[in-house]
Amino acid sequence: MVPRQHCPPLNDTGLSILHFHTLDARPPETMDAADGFQKRYSNIDELAADAKPLLTAQAHGYYSSGSDNEWTLRENSEALSRYRLLPRMCIDVSVVDTSTVLLGQKLSAPILFAPMAQQRLCHPLGELAMARAAAAAGLPYVLSTMATSSIQEVAEAVQLPDHSSSSSSTSSSSQGAAPSRLSPASAAAGTDPCLWFQVYVMKRRDVTEWMVREVHRLGFKALVVTVDAPRLGHREVDDRNKFSLPPHLSLKNLEALTKAAGGTGDVQSSGSKFGKHFSDLFDQAVCWDTIAWLKSIAPLPLLIKGVLAPDDARRAVELGVDGIILSNHGGRQLNYAPAAVDMLPACAAAVQGRVPLLVDGGISRGTDVLKCLALGASAVLVGRPLLWALTLGGQKGVEEAIGMLKSELELSMALLGTCRLPPNPISNPAGVVAYGGRLPPARRLIVSGLTATAVALGGNFLGVTSTLLALDGGKLAASTNLDVLVPVNGSRRCLDTGNGFTFLYPAKWLADQTLYRRYAERIEREAALDPPSLRRERARRQGVPEPAAAFGPAGSTGEENISVVVAPIRPGFSLQKMGAPEEAAARFLRETVAPEGSGRTAQLLGAGSRRDASGELYYQQEFTVQSKRFSRRNLSVLAARNGLLYTLNCQSSTERWASNEAAFRKAAASFAILNSGAATADFPDAL
C-alpha cells in the first residue's frame, strides 16, 4: 500500500502549493477516521525517515533542524546515551503502574506533549489532532503560541468547558475547525483533557495578556512561559530554505497582533522571513520581573521553560514559579548549550524539591524517560517524534506513537525493578542511574560548576534504604560504610582510602568534578608516549596542594564548601609541636590565613582538640576571615599521620553560616584519618 501523501503538488513555477482546506478536499472532521500508520514500527525513532518525503523541504527543515552547526541538537540524544540504568532483581513487577501526579493532575505516564509550532504544516488537523491524541492518552498537551489553530479551536477539539458567561468568543477560522468532540478512545476512557499553553512575551504586552486570559477562560490547566528565545536562534536550514508560513495558514493566536502575523510575504529578508518577522515581535527585554506580571494576570500554575543554569532555577523558585522546564529549545537557540539532561542533577539540587522539574530534548525511548526521572525530573516532554507521527498517521498515528513510548516505559520499569513511580522525582538517582560516558569537557564544567558524583553501585529507590539505615541513628551505616552509597539522616560519607580519610557531608551537595578531571589528565599524561614537560612538572610540584576532595551546593561558585587538603610535612612533625590548640590556631591565622601585608584580617573564635577511638589526635579551630572583597567563617580540623598533614576545612560566607553550621559541625566531628593513607613518597600523585 502506498502511504497517503501530504506533499502538495507543484505549480508551473516549481513551487509547492498547500491545499489542505480547499472546498474539494475531504472535510477535516472525517480525515482522522482513516488515519493511522500504514506499516508497523518497532519504535518512534523509525518515524522520522518515513515522514520526511511527506513534507515540503521548508516544513521538514523547520521541524528537524537546529541552530548553527547543530551540535546541541545532536548532543541532546548523545547525552542521554551516556547514562546507564542499574536494575534490581527479585522484585514483584507483575503489575506496573506508569501513572504519576503533576501539579495536582493525574497523568497516565510522566510524559507531556511539548509545545510545537505550526502543526498544520504536517497534517490538515494539526494541533487539533495532536490535542485529541493527548487527551486519549491521558497526557497533557502544551499548545504553542505559534500554533496554526486558535486557542478556542483546540479547547473545542477536546471539549474543554468554557469558563466565561458569554459565548461571544467563537471561532471564525476560515480553515474550518472540526466540531467539538473527544476522540472515541478518550470518550470511552472518560479522560479529563489536560491542556497547557506555552506563551511568548510579545512587545505588545496587551496581546500576551489577552492570550493568558483566554486560556484561563477556556479551562487550560497551566501556563508555560518560554524565556530562552528573546530572538530566534541562527537556524541555517531555514535561512537556506527562505522559510515562511504558506499563505493559506496563519498563526491563529497572533491575529490580534497584526494582520500580517501569520503571513510573511511582506517581510524583507535574505533568509528566513518567518525568523526575521518574529524576532521583531518578541520582547527582547523580558526579565525576572515579567514572571510576577504573568502570575498577576490569571490564577494558573506558571512554569518557566528554557532554564539550564542552577542559579536561574533557584531564582525562578524564589520568584514563585510552580515548575521549571529544563530545555535548550530542541537545539534551536544557543548552539553549544549543554543538553538539559546533563543539567538535571545540579538543578535538582538547587531546587531541592520545592517545585517539579521537567526536561525535554532528544527523548524518544522509555529508558530515556526513566533516566530523566532518576536524575531529578518529575516528567519529560516529547516533541519531534510526535510531529513525525502526526505527519504519517494523524491523530491515530500520534496515539500509536505515544502508546509505543508508554509500553517501553512500562517494560523498562519492570526490568529496572520498580512497579510504580512516585509523584515526586526518584529520591536517589545514584541507586538507579550512573554516568557512563567520558569525563565532561571543560565547557560543561564552566556552565554547571559542580555536577553529580556518579555512583554505580547500591540502591535507595524511593528512599526506603535511607529510612531503614536511619532507624539506629546511622550506626550500622557508619560501621559498614553503607552511607557512602546511601544518604543517612541527610548526610553521605566521603571515603578516600587512597589518601586515608573520611567525613560526612550534606547528601544534596555535589563533588567538585574539576579535581577528578585533573586526576584523569594526570593518568593520561603518565600513560602517554610523549616525554613529560619538565616545566609543567616543576610548576605542579611547587604549587599549593589542591584539595583531595571538595563538596558544595550545586551551581555555587565555591563560596560554600567542605574540602580536605593533604600535604606533605617534614619528618618528625606532630600537632603537639605546634603548641596547644589555641597557640597552634593563632599561629596558623598569623602565618597562613592572614599574614602581614595580605590585606586580610582574621579573628580566632575558638580552638580545641579531641581524640578518636584509636587515639588519633585532632586539632579543631574556628575563625573568621575578612577582606575588602569578602567576609567568611571557617571551621577547620587538622590531623597528621604517615608524613602527611590532613586539613578538613568547612567554609561559607558570614551571612550563610547559620544555614550551614549544623552540617559543618557534623562534618568536623566525623572527620577521621585511616590506616590506609598514602605515604609521603606517593604524594601528590594519589587523589
Side-chain angles (χ1 to χ4, degrees):
M1 180 181 294
V2 178
R4 175 172 54 83
Q5 296 289 316
H6 294 160
C7 191
L10 299 179
N11 65 7
D12 55 1
T13 66
L15 298 177
S16 297
I17 303 177
L18 301 177
H19 291 296
F20 285 147
H21 295 277
T22 58
L23 292 176
D24 58 344
R26 276 190 297 139
E29 62 268 23
T30 67
M31 295 188 73
D32 61 340
D35 279 341
F37 294 149
Q38 301 298 308
K39 64 184 250 187
R40 180 180 178 83
Y41 293 98
S42 299
N43 58 75
I44 62 176
D45 283 330
E46 296 177 346
L47 304 178
D50 285 357
K52 183 176 180 179
L54 302 183
L55 296 167
T56 66
Q58 279 196 342
H60 182 266
Y62 176 73
Y63 288 145
S64 65
S65 63
S67 60
D68 295 337
N69 68 359
E70 301 184 341
W71 183 92
T72 294
L73 175 64
R74 296 187 297 273
E75 176 70 1
N76 282 343
S77 297
E78 292 172 3
L80 281 162
S81 71
R82 290 195 291 266
Y83 293 91
R84 310 289 185 258
L85 291 168
L86 182 67
R88 309 309 299 272
M89 302 303 154
C90 299
I91 297 172
D92 181 0
V93 290
S94 55
V95 178
V96 176
D97 181 9
T98 64
S99 67
T100 189
V101 176
L102 181 64
L103 297 179
Q105 178 86 7
K106 185 171 182 179
L107 314 181
S108 64
I111 301 169
L112 287 78
F113 285 49
M116 295 170 285
Q118 306 174 48
Q119 293 175 19
R120 278 181 163 161
L121 283 174
C122 63
H123 189 273
L125 291 179
E127 293 85 3
L128 308 184
M130 195 79 84
R132 289 176 186 153
L139 301 174
Y141 172 69
V142 189
L143 176 65
S144 169
T145 290
M146 302 300 184
T148 43
S149 303
S150 71
I151 296 169
Q152 175 134 354
E153 285 175 328
V154 174
E156 290 174 348
V158 297
Q159 288 188 331
L160 277 187
D162 190 329
H163 289 183
S164 68
S165 57
S166 171
S167 59
S168 59
S169 298
T170 58
S171 173
S172 59
S173 170
S174 62
Q175 296 172 269
S180 304
R181 61 181 179 82
L182 282 171
S183 66
S186 179
T191 307
D192 180 18
C194 181
L195 295 183
W196 294 13
F197 184 68
Q198 173 269 332
V199 63
Y200 287 107
V201 179
M202 302 291 173
K203 290 178 180 177
R204 283 279 303 275
R205 291 293 181 91
D206 58 326
V207 174
T208 301
E209 183 172 348
W210 171 81
M211 289 189 291
V212 173
R213 294 190 185 280
E214 183 75 352
V215 297
H216 177 243
R217 178 182 72 81
L218 290 171
F220 281 59
K221 301 292 180 65
L223 189 68
V224 176
V225 55
T226 296
V227 295
D228 61 359
R231 306 180 190 178
L232 288 184
H234 182 210
R235 302 171 187 177
E236 296 178 2
V237 173
D238 287 349
D239 284 347
R240 287 195 295 270
N241 290 336
K242 301 187 185 308
F243 175 72
S244 63
L245 198 60
H248 78 288
L249 295 177
S250 68
L251 299 179
K252 302 295 292 185
N253 299 316
L254 297 181
E255 287 182 346
L257 184 61
T258 171
K259 292 182 180 179
T264 53
D266 296 331
V267 176
Q268 299 301 314
S269 174
S270 60
S272 169
K273 294 182 178 182
F274 176 86
K276 174 64 170 63
H277 187 48
F278 286 97
S279 287
D280 291 341
L281 296 179
F282 292 166
D283 187 350
Q284 299 178 25
V286 170
C287 59
W288 290 110
D289 292 342
T290 308
I291 303 300
W293 173 70
L294 285 170
K295 288 179 68 68
S296 71
I297 298 174
L300 286 172
L302 177 67
L303 297 90
I304 186 170
K305 179 177 182 290
V307 166
L308 290 173
D311 285 344
D312 284 347
R314 189 181 296 111
R315 178 73 180 275
V317 173
E318 292 170 353
L319 292 175
V321 303
D322 300 287
I324 296 171
I325 301 176
L326 303 184
S327 174
N328 56 36
H329 213 104
R332 294 159 66 81
Q333 285 300 103
L334 177 65
N335 199 32
Y336 292 105
V341 68
D342 278 341
M343 301 309 301
L344 257 176
C347 288
V351 170
Q352 296 185 351
R354 289 175 287 178
V355 300
L357 284 180
L358 291 78
V359 65
D360 69 11
I363 296 164
S364 63
R365 291 280 190 171
T367 48
D368 294 339
V369 179
L370 273 182
K371 290 174 183 180
C372 292
L373 297 181
L375 290 168
S378 295
V380 305
L381 292 89
V382 178
R384 289 181 176 95
L386 300 183
L387 283 176
W388 310 142
L390 182 65
T391 301
L392 288 165
Q395 176 185 336
K396 290 185 178 180
V398 177
E399 290 178 18
E400 291 180 43
I402 206 69
M404 283 191 284
L405 186 59
K406 289 170 66 176
S407 294
E408 286 184 3
L409 174 61
E410 191 270 346
L411 176 60
S412 298
M413 287 174 60
L415 297 178
L416 182 66
T418 183
C419 56
R420 65 182 57 86
L421 297 173
N424 298 313
I426 293 171
S427 57
N428 179 29
V432 180
V433 68
Y435 184 77
R438 303 179 62 183
L439 285 170
R443 168 191 53 79
R444 191 172 300 144
L445 295 174
I446 294 171
V447 173
S448 64
L450 299 173
T451 58
T453 303
V455 180
L457 298 175
N460 187 34
F461 204 65
L462 308 185
V464 174
T465 309
S466 291
T467 302
L468 294 175
L469 290 176
L471 294 178
D472 68 344
K475 294 179 181 178
L476 174 63
S479 63
T480 59
N481 291 327
L482 286 176
D483 50 358
V484 173
L485 302 173
V486 178
V488 178
N489 293 325
S491 297
R492 194 186 291 271
R493 181 174 299 279
C494 172
L495 178 62
D496 187 333
T497 57
N499 283 302
F501 63 85
T502 181
F503 64 95
L504 297 174
Y505 64 94
K508 293 183 178 180
W509 283 23
L510 306 177
D512 186 347
Q513 296 293 300
T514 304
L515 301 173
Y516 298 98
R517 163 177 278 279
R518 291 183 181 140
Y519 177 70
E521 289 175 346
R522 184 187 63 79
I523 296 298
E524 290 183 4
R525 187 169 59 247
E526 291 179 349
L529 295 177
D530 298 331
S533 169
L534 296 178
R535 180 179 303 175
R536 182 178 300 172
E537 286 296 304
R538 280 196 299 270
R540 184 171 66 90
R541 293 181 181 277
Q542 292 172 2
V544 176
E546 289 184 326
F551 296 84
S556 66
T557 59
E559 184 74 10
E560 301 173 45
N561 67 76
I562 300 175
S563 63
V564 174
V565 173
V566 184
I569 50 180
R570 60 182 179 273
F573 176 87
S574 67
L575 295 182
Q576 294 93 326
K577 290 185 177 180
M578 297 173 62
E582 295 79 5
E583 180 182 356
R587 180 179 176 184
F588 175 70
L589 298 186
R590 183 175 63 253
E591 297 181 359
T592 304
V593 176
E596 185 175 354
S598 65
R600 298 187 296 270
T601 59
Q603 180 182 1
L604 182 64
L605 302 178
S609 64
R610 63 175 171 85
R611 291 186 182 272
D612 61 20
S614 64
E616 194 69 46
L617 177 66
Y618 300 83
Y619 275 9
Q620 183 167 309
Q621 50 202 25
E622 187 173 340
F623 55 93
T624 61
V625 187
Q626 291 183 323
S627 74
K628 293 181 179 179
R629 296 182 296 105
F630 63 82
S631 176
R632 295 175 184 153
R633 187 161 172 175
N634 293 62
L635 176 61
S636 298
V637 181
L638 291 80
R641 178 184 284 181
N642 296 335
L644 300 174
L645 178 66
Y646 296 78
T647 304
L648 172 96
N649 186 60
C650 306
Q651 169 186 289
S652 79
S653 64
T654 304
E655 294 79 11
R656 292 280 301 163
W657 176 261
S659 301
N660 294 312
E661 183 176 4
F664 285 171
R665 297 201 183 282
K666 188 174 185 178
S670 66
F671 181 60
I673 56 176
L674 312 172
N675 290 327
S676 62
T680 305
D682 295 324
F683 186 90
D685 294 332
L687 273 180

